[in-house]
Structure formats: structure tokens, C-alpha cells
Amino acid sequence: MIAVATAADIGGRRRFIAPPREAVDAACFAQPIYAGLSGFQALMLAPNWPTIASLDARLALPDAHLAEQNEMLLADGLHYETRIAKCGQIATRADNWHDLFNALIWARYPAIKRALNRQQCRHIAAMAPGQRNRAQAALTQFDESGVIVRVREPALLRAWDRHDWAALFVDGAGQWRHGDIAVAAVIGHALLEQALVPERLLVGKCVVVHGDDDATAIAAVAQAIADGVLLNDPLELRPLPLAGIPGWHARQDAGFHARADYFRPLREGRAYPAALG
């Protein structure tokens, strides 16, 4: 069965609607984007949705638990992030891919999720009701679409700096395979949801770390977020067309990386921060 997504107009914007569970082929979860969640294959492959209570028991999150999002839960009037910080409750919708992936990321990368939550709460407390600052936008973008990339070859980073996608993905294909550059972690649960339709061309919002070890890179990002020195502006995040990574898309033919509608040129005046580490 082929998974087909739909879209809905929400306030003039198109919102992705994931395919139903029964329409997702098990082979979908063999995509590299799901590699970090290999320990949760059973939860993704099961024919039926887990209840929120059983999912919470299975994940056993540290210092937090999943709480089914219903009228009773929302009656407290708390902001989603504030509820996590004050009550340890992660509002989770039943039978929902987006929230399932969010829960799995909490289980897989708890230090990242906890740091994001603390920073969101710090900014919520400082802002007038209904207002958001650029740091909140950056934190949200990373939470939804974030990717941590580890790199040890400066030439690849320079190619990325100038959006030289051929140098990064085609000429550098062997360096991706040998680990000179690698995706250390996919954090964005919205990316994972959209990857349920493998034909979609996804773009990650990336933080880059110099180094050789994925776990060290992930820990460095968690600490930088917790310290408030990272994700203070969306412009800190580098776009990465994930389908360009060798082995990450089925149709990487000779002309694929020349698609300017996906592999976009660098905007005039755009520059990226140095890698961590």
C-alpha cells in the first residue's frame, strides 16, 4: 500500500496531514531518517495504535510522562511547555503520528528535549501573553525540523556555507559514506512525520558540530541549548536538503542535485555561524 498525505488550509497556510496508520508500508521505517529510532520499531510497525498509557509505560521517560490531551487536561489553562515544566505532563494526542514521534524523541534524546523545554519556558515567562520572540521561533523550528550534523572535514562545511550542493553531495558522496560528515541525530518530529511519505523532499534545520562521535555531538548541542548560547535566532539554523544525502532518496539520478527548486542557491547576504566544538 502506498502512503498518501493530504494537506489542509489552516489560516492560509498548508498543513501536512499524515497518512493513516494502515496506509504506511513497513518498509518506510527502513529509511535512514528513522535510524535513530531503531529501538522503537515495534511501536512504529504495530498494526494498532498504542494507548497513551501503554506508550507512557513503555517509554518510561525521566522526570516526565505522557498525558492524553483531552478537555480535562487542557482545563488547567497552562501553556503546553509550561505544563511540562510544572507538572511533568507532555500533552499527547491519541492515534497521532506527530505526537507519537514527539514522544519517541523525548525517549531517545531526553537531554535535548528537556533543554528545549527549559528555554521555551524562560522566554514564555519574559514575553507578554500571545507574543513570541526570535529565540522561541528558533527553538520551535529545531524541535519540529531539527537535525544535528557532525562534520570533521572543513571543505565540506565550506561547500555547505555557499550552498554548493554538488560539492557537498556529489563530489563529497564518498565522505558521507566514510563519516567525514554525518547526520548524528534527527530531532525534528515533524520531519519524521512527513517522511511517512517517502517521496517528499524534506529540508532539515541543522546545527553543526565539529567532531568524530555522534553521542558527543548530541551532548554538545544539548549543553549549548541549556546554556542559552544556541538557538537564539532562526538564522543560526542551516537548511539541509535531506534527500541529497547519498542513500537518502530513491531517485538520485544524474540531474537530481541540479533541481534549483529544492537545492536552493544561497541568498545574498546569508551567512551561517561556525560549527560547535
Side-chain angles (χ1 to χ4, degrees), residues 1-6 17-25 49 95 97 196:
M1 184 176 294
I2 299 174
V4 178
T6 58
I17 299 176
R21 193 175 186 94
E22 63 272 14
V24 178
D25 193 310
W49 288 100
D95 304 352
W97 281 115
L196 294 169

Side-chain angles (χ1 to χ4, degrees), residues 64-86:
H65 68 274
L66 307 179
E68 184 162 356
Q69 181 171 306
N70 52 32
E71 290 184 5
M72 183 179 297
L73 181 72
L74 299 181
D76 60 16
L78 293 175
H79 189 287
Y80 169 84
E81 300 285 357
T82 305
R83 186 182 296 108
I84 295 172
K86 285 189 173 182

Side-chain angles (χ1 to χ4, degrees), residues 6 23 26 47 50 73 93 97 117 140 143 146 148 154 168 171 177 241 261 270 274:
T6 58
L73 181 72
R93 292 167 292 184
W97 281 115
N117 174 251
T140 298
D143 193 26
I148 299 172
L168 182 63
D171 300 339
R177 297 188 182 100
D261 60 333
R270 184 73 162 97

Side-chain angles (χ1 to χ4, degrees), residues 18 26 74 135 144 151 209 232:
L74 299 181
E144 296 284 347
V151 63
V209 183
N232 290 296

